[in-house]
Amino acid sequence: MIDKPGGEVAVTQGGFEAALEGLQAVRGKTQWINQQVSAGKLSLDPEVAEKAAKRAEEEVQELISCAHAGCQAAWPRDGLG
């Protein structure tokens, strides 16, 4: 990996490109959700939020496993499951 200006990371190894794209998509969605919550435009039921966080963690683990296996999965996925 190579660090780029602005905190971005360039991936130089095959299967990690798909994982990086998926993680960047998750990061973007997380930032949007946090902005909406901070602005009072969105509220989350704690139980639903916990389920969503668990699913997001599962998807990250799938991305990591895929990257280690060198597969080219279709990431980012739409939604959290």
Side-chain angles (χ1 to χ4, degrees), residues 14-61:
F16 288 101
E17 291 175 6
L20 177 62
E21 289 175 14
L23 292 172
Q24 287 175 334
V26 169
R27 179 179 21 185
K29 289 179 182 181
T30 301
Q31 288 174 346
W32 179 85
I33 290 169
N34 288 337
Q35 290 170 351
Q36 296 300 306
V37 170
S38 295
K41 296 179 180 179
L42 181 66
S43 62
L44 299 175
D45 178 303
E47 186 176 327
V48 173
E50 185 64 33
K51 287 180 182 179
K54 182 178 180 184
R55 182 63 191 134
E57 185 174 324
E58 290 169 357
E59 287 198 17
V60 168
Q61 291 303 317

